[in-house]
Amino acid sequence: MIDLDLLARGELSLLGRLMAASNGTFQGAVSLEGESATVVYKPIEGERPLWDFPDGTLAQREYAAYVVSEALGWNLVPPTLLRDGPLGVGMVQLWIDEAELPPGKTELVDIVPQGRVPKGWVGVLDALDGRHNPVTLVHADNAALQRMAVFDAVVNNADRKGGHVLNPGDGRVFGVDHGVTFNADDKLRTVLWGWAGEAVPDELLEDVRKLADGLAGQLGSELCELITAIELTATRERCASILKTGTFPLPSEDWPAIPWPAF
């Protein structure tokens, strides 16, 4: 993984705009002393207002998600920081190239015909596809995605689409697009419901316990520069809830459980 100094001090140039993104999102390159890397750049000026998040705060939330991922020791979020760029201050994150999967292999989140959930996968939701065929939303049943499911519960991720789960093909798993996180209200929307209500592995609970301790100290002070005090308190409460129940959360009855579109 690259040195954060390259992201922080490298000269940032734009390569193109990602037109499918709902906010202003650009692919760029940073270069410093002969080193270079491809990045995602999301300037604050390109953020669309949302009714349930304060204006101009999505970049900070993306960085806060990285800070929490690092504090947990899970390395789920690619190297991320806040810095100035050609279109003003914004979030800059290392670009992750997904692997070209061999024939017969699938992504970590997929759609399969109903009744045909592959071995090593778990079903999330039965539905009809665009041609009214019965299908099931599934995801891989592995430790990396379990960590991501707990992480999303902690940061209250309101938009864990299948396309936000990246598989670089080397055993690692990355999550991206964390702009709508840390809301004080329960807004968890994710495609990773396969373990809902089941026991969280002890080693993950121990990591959450360490995170909770950090949120009460220096880590909490750092996050208060990025999210509100009320949101920090809510994050601590979510950690406490996971530790108390020892289980993966269940979908809320008051909020859509699956993001739309799911990919």
Side-chain angles (χ1 to χ4, degrees):
M1 197 61 73
I2 69 165
D3 189 333
L4 278 176
D5 192 50
L6 175 57
L7 289 187
R9 298 198 300 118
E11 181 180 355
L12 176 56
S13 58
L14 301 185
L15 301 178
R17 182 167 183 173
L18 305 182
M19 299 305 296
S22 56
N23 294 292
T25 304
F26 300 84
Q27 185 184 56
V30 289
S31 301
L32 178 69
E33 299 175 353
E35 292 188 77
S36 63
T38 305
V39 298
V40 175
Y41 167 50
K42 298 182 181 180
I44 294 174
E45 287 296 323
E47 295 178 6
R48 297 196 311 174
L50 299 173
W51 68 269
D52 51 350
F53 285 84
D55 292 351
T57 67
L58 304 190
Q60 290 95 313
R61 295 169 193 277
E62 295 246 27
Y63 178 54
Y66 170 71
V67 171
V68 169
S69 170
E70 292 299 289
L72 285 164
W74 293 352
N75 306 121
L76 291 171
V77 180
T80 306
L81 47 73
L82 297 172
R83 58 161 288 179
D84 199 7
L87 300 176
V89 174
M91 185 279 294
V92 174
Q93 183 176 86
L94 180 66
W95 180 278
I96 301 295
D97 284 317
E98 290 205 83
E100 293 188 12
L101 300 175
K105 296 293 185 180
T106 61
E107 297 294 347
L108 296 168
V109 182
D110 206 353
I111 298 290
V112 300
Q114 275 188 28
R116 296 170 62 179
V117 177
K119 183 179 180 180
W121 290 65
V122 289
V124 174
L125 174 72
D126 291 333
L128 299 177
D129 66 11
R131 297 182 178 180
H132 300 284
N133 297 313
V135 296
T136 300
L137 174 65
V138 298
H139 63 69
D141 185 6
N142 65 36
L145 288 189
Q146 282 192 328
R147 288 192 295 271
M148 187 173 291
V150 175
F151 170 78
D152 284 342
V154 167
V155 303
N156 198 17
N157 191 352
D159 196 32
R160 175 63 74 204
K161 293 181 170 70
H164 297 169
V165 180
L166 304 185
N167 176 14
D170 57 6
R172 296 176 299 169
V173 174
F174 290 104
V176 297
D177 285 321
H178 297 110
V180 285
T181 49
F182 295 101
N183 201 295
D185 297 327
D186 180 15
K187 292 185 177 291
L188 181 59
R189 293 195 304 176
T190 175
V191 295
L192 303 179
W193 288 113
W195 304 284
E198 296 183 10
V200 176
D202 290 343
E203 62 271 21
L204 301 190
L205 290 177
E206 182 58 29
D207 290 340
V208 172
R209 185 171 290 107
K210 293 176 182 177
L211 175 69
D213 291 342
L215 291 175
Q218 181 58 39
L219 176 62
S221 298
E222 181 179 353
L223 286 177
C224 265
E225 299 295 320
L226 304 169
I227 61 177
T228 68
I230 293 174
E231 290 168 339
L232 176 62
T233 297
T235 304
R236 294 176 62 185
E237 290 173 349
R238 289 191 294 271
C239 289
S241 178
I242 292 170
L243 293 171
K244 180 179 179 179
T245 65
T247 60
F248 289 92
L250 295 168
S252 171
E253 297 180 356
D254 302 320
W255 181 255
I258 305 290
W260 186 259
F263 287 86

